[in-house]
């Protein structure tokens, strides 16, 4: 997911900052934002300490790469979209499926 956020920040189609990407359209209401946690009205504080610490380490490493003008190399630069495996969004069929990692599926434009 961090890879998608950074890829978007390097794309001219999205805001150029990580916060800009994450919170794009967050004020437009539930299901209008790019990342659901940004507009779901729930607390953004983690409830599982070990998972929260791991997520913070991953985010910090990704942020440091972004600061150096680099991207995580987990996914190709073209990957700009993803969704959880628990959903089947209508937009998914208009993009090229690139990878499935953990609970997420990742896509690039055709």
């Amino acid at each position: 997911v961090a890879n998608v956020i950074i890829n978007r920040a390097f794309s001219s189609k999205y805001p150029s900052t990580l916060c800009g990407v994450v919170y794009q359209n967050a004020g437009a209401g539930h299901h209008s934002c790019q990342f659901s946690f940004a507009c779901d009205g729930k607390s953004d504080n983690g409830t599982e300490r070990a998972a929260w610490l791991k997520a913070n380490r991953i985010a910090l490493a990704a942020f440091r790469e972004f600061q150096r003008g680099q991207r995580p190399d987990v996914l190709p630069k073209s990957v700009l979209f993803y969704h959880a495996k628990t959903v089947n969004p209508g937009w998914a069929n208009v993009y090229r499926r690139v990878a499935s990692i953990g609970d997420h599926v990742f896509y690039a434009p055709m």
Side-chain angles (χ1 to χ4, degrees):
V1 174
N3 214 150
V4 168
I5 293 167
I6 291 173
N7 285 350
R8 286 185 178 194
F10 280 115
S11 170
S12 62
K13 297 177 183 179
Y14 296 91
S16 60
T17 67
L18 302 185
C19 287
V21 169
V22 170
Y23 291 101
Q24 185 178 13
N25 299 328
H30 193 54
H31 298 300
S32 297
C33 57
Q34 299 294 306
F35 296 88
S36 58
F37 84 88
C39 64
D40 63 7
K42 297 178 184 175
S43 172
D44 295 337
N45 295 322
T47 57
E48 296 179 35
R49 181 153 175 77
W52 182 251
L53 292 172
K54 181 179 180 181
N56 276 281
R57 284 192 303 272
I58 292 168
L60 182 57
F63 179 65
R64 287 184 176 146
E65 287 186 66
F66 177 74
Q67 286 180 308
R68 292 190 304 264
Q70 301 170 335
R71 307 170 197 233
D73 61 358
V74 176
L75 296 166
K77 295 176 182 180
S78 60
V79 175
L80 299 174
F81 310 97
Y82 80 98
H83 66 79
K85 288 181 178 177
T86 57
V87 298
N88 187 19
W91 55 260
N93 63 353
V94 300
Y95 296 107
R96 180 174 49 88
R97 183 178 172 151
V98 174
S100 178
I101 302 171
D103 293 332
H104 296 94
V105 183
F106 298 87
Y107 299 85
M110 294 283 193

